[in-house]
């Protein structure tokens, strides 16, 4: 309906017949040109000489390029005067040729020894094996009546200052099961003590820190830990060493003191215990009031301990 509505309003101006009639135009000039052209073609001879059959055979249609058809481009004298056989190979060359031909030789790889399968224990390292510790162990009395115990041993041996256990309790200090004491030492002093004369490089640290393990309950030690016990503070009574390895038949600890260095700390005014007098024990004294003398006894402890470790247990750190 839409197309019929539009067609009723259309008006045809030209069609193909009107255009082909060319009203008002003449083509006389074109006709004259065609007549001249026809005369020129009729004046030329129409006979074309026939070509020999051999030449017709040579004129083949041009071939398209192919990478697999390169032989047709090769001429008769392609290699000039070098006389090279382009279709030959290396097999035809003689051994007397001026240029020897080296043929690759396949060398046999060296034989490897037979590998035996590893057992599971050898294939994977045992991660449970720990490196043996070299930290020295010092045992102190557990009794509060002793001048030295876990309450004040760090102050005395590390800070060179004696404080009674009762004062530490008043300060709110809580007793620990064990203490790791950090001792600072001069590297030059250590080398002189061990007999090392090699100079120390300026870049090396002149001061090192050596840890010591301090305990008051030797029953927690394993058998291998007793080899690292280097010192013990003796309170006086023999029952302190009950259950220790190395006691004599009568319960005397004299054999123990050959495996570790024994010390006894007391006030200057207090007389020595009778057991301390007959045992091989180094006595350290402190004053009740003169705190500036505490460092003298602390340094005496380290001096005797270093000599003992150097002579008997030099595999430990000290």
């Amino acid at each position: 309906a839409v197309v019929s509505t539009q067609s009723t309003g259309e008006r045809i101006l030209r069609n193909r017949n009107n255009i082909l009639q060319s009203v008002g135009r003449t083509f006389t000039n074109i006709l004259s040109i065609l007549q001249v052209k026809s005369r020129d073609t009729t004046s030329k001879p129409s006979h074309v000489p026939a070509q020999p059959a051999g030449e017709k055979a040579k004129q083949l249609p041009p071939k398209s390029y192919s990478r697999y058809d390169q032989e047709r481009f090769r001429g008769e004298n392609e290699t000039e005067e070098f006389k090279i056989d382009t279709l030959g190979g290396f097999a035809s060359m003689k051994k007397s040729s001026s240029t020897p031909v080296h043929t690759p030789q396949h060398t046999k790889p060296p034989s490897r020894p037979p590998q035996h399968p590893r057992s599971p224990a050898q294939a994977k390292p045992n991660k449970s094996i720990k490196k043996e510790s070299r930290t020295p162990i010092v045992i102190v009395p557990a009794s509060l009546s002793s001048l030295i115990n876990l309450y004040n041993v760090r102050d005395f041996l590390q800070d060179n200052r004696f404080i009674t256990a009762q004062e530490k309790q008043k300060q709110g200090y809580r007793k620990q099961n064990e203490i790791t004491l950090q001792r600072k030492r001069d590297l030059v002093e250590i080398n002189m003590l061990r007999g090392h004369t090699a100079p120390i490089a300026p870049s090396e640290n002149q001061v090192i820190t050596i840890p010591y393990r301090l305990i008051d309950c030797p029953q927690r030690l394993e058998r291998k830990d007793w080899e690292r016990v280097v010192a013990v503070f003796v309170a006086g009574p023999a029952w302190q060493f009950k259950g220790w390895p190395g006691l004599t038949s009568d319960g005397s600890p004299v054999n123990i003191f050959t495996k570790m260095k024994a010390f006894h700390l007391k006030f200057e005014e207090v007389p020595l215990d009778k057991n301390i007098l007959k045992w091989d024990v180094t006595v350290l004294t402190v004053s009740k009031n003169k705190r500036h003398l505490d460092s003298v006894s602390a340094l005496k402890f380290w001096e005797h301990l270093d000599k003992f470790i150097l002579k008997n247990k030099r595999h430990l750190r000290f």
Side-chain angles (χ1 to χ4, degrees), residues 40-99:
D40 293 339
T41 55
T42 55
S43 62
K44 291 181 180 180
S46 60
H47 177 70
V48 179
Q51 295 181 356
E55 293 184 3
K56 288 184 180 180
K58 290 183 181 179
Q59 293 182 0
L60 299 175
K63 295 183 179 181
S64 61
Y65 173 78
S66 175
R67 58 182 296 184
Y68 302 105
D69 191 17
Q70 298 296 318
E71 287 78 5
R72 62 190 178 91
F73 298 102
R74 185 169 59 243
E76 296 179 358
N77 198 12
E78 183 182 11
T79 58
E80 300 296 338
E81 71 274 6
F82 295 103
K83 298 180 180 181
I84 299 175
D85 185 8
T86 57
L87 299 178
F90 292 101
S92 61
M93 298 182 66
K94 296 181 180 180
K95 293 184 179 180
S96 60
S97 176
S98 59
T99 305

Side-chain angles (χ1 to χ4, degrees), residues 27-288:
F27 298 95
T28 55
N29 55 347
I30 296 176
L31 294 175
S32 61
I33 294 173
L34 292 176
Q35 290 176 1
V36 174
K37 187 66 177 178
S38 62
R39 283 195 226 103
D40 293 339
T41 55
T42 55
S43 62
K44 291 181 180 180
S46 60
H47 177 70
V48 179
Q51 295 181 356
E55 293 184 3
K56 288 184 180 180
K58 290 183 181 179
Q59 293 182 0
L60 299 175
K63 295 183 179 181
S64 61
Y65 173 78
S66 175
R67 58 182 296 184
Y68 302 105
D69 191 17
Q70 298 296 318
E71 287 78 5
R72 62 190 178 91
F73 298 102
R74 185 169 59 243
E76 296 179 358
N77 198 12
E78 183 182 11
T79 58
E80 300 296 338
E81 71 274 6
F82 295 103
K83 298 180 180 181
I84 299 175
D85 185 8
T86 57
L87 299 178
F90 292 101
S92 61
M93 298 182 66
K94 296 181 180 180
K95 293 184 179 180
S96 60
S97 176
S98 59
T99 305
V101 178
H102 299 280
T103 58
Q105 298 180 359
H106 299 284
T107 58
K108 186 178 180 181
S111 61
R112 296 182 179 179
Q115 297 182 356
H116 302 285
R118 296 182 178 182
S119 61
Q122 295 176 346
K124 295 182 180 180
N126 191 359
K127 296 183 180 180
S128 61
I129 300 177
K130 295 182 180 180
K131 187 177 180 180
E132 186 176 354
S133 176
R134 296 173 55 236
T135 302
I137 299 175
V138 178
I139 302 177
V140 297
S143 175
L144 288 176
S145 60
S146 175
L147 287 185
I148 193 77
N149 45 49
L150 286 183
Y151 279 98
N152 58 358
V153 64
R154 188 200 300 271
D155 299 277
F156 181 64
L157 298 182
Q158 181 173 299
D159 302 332
N160 300 333
R161 184 168 55 95
F162 176 77
I163 302 177
T164 62
Q166 291 74 16
E167 292 178 357
K168 295 290 291 185
Q169 287 180 330
K170 291 179 181 179
Q171 295 175 4
Y173 181 80
R174 299 183 61 181
K175 178 179 171 295
Q176 303 178 15
N177 293 329
E178 64 178 60
I179 295 175
T180 300
L181 184 146
Q182 303 293 338
R183 182 190 180 192
K184 294 183 178 181
R185 299 202 63 186
D186 186 82
L187 193 57
V188 178
E189 178 186 354
I190 296 176
N191 289 342
M192 292 179 60
L193 181 63
R194 296 185 177 183
H196 299 167
T197 58
I200 301 175
S203 59
E204 293 186 13
N205 190 4
Q206 301 292 329
V207 179
I208 61 175
T209 302
I210 301 176
Y212 286 78
R213 181 184 174 189
L214 283 76
I215 63 173
D216 63 351
C217 185
Q219 287 75 17
R220 297 178 181 176
L221 296 177
E222 299 180 5
R223 181 176 298 180
K224 62 179 181 179
D225 295 334
W226 282 99
E227 297 294 329
R228 296 190 287 121
V229 178
V230 295
V232 56
F233 277 91
V234 182
W239 54 261
Q240 177 185 355
F241 303 97
K242 184 179 180 180
W244 286 38
L247 292 175
T248 60
S249 58
D250 58 350
S252 175
V254 292
N255 294 335
I256 296 177
F257 299 151
T258 61
K259 300 179 181 179
M260 61 189 72
K261 186 65 177 175
F263 295 92
H264 176 71
L265 182 67
K266 75 176 192 69
F267 286 125
E268 293 177 339
E269 300 82 2
V270 178
L272 280 174
D273 187 272
K274 60 179 181 179
N275 289 332
I276 303 299
L277 291 174
K278 62 181 181 181
W279 291 341
D280 184 14
V281 178
T282 301
V283 180
L284 306 175
T285 59
V286 292
S287 174
K288 292 183 179 181

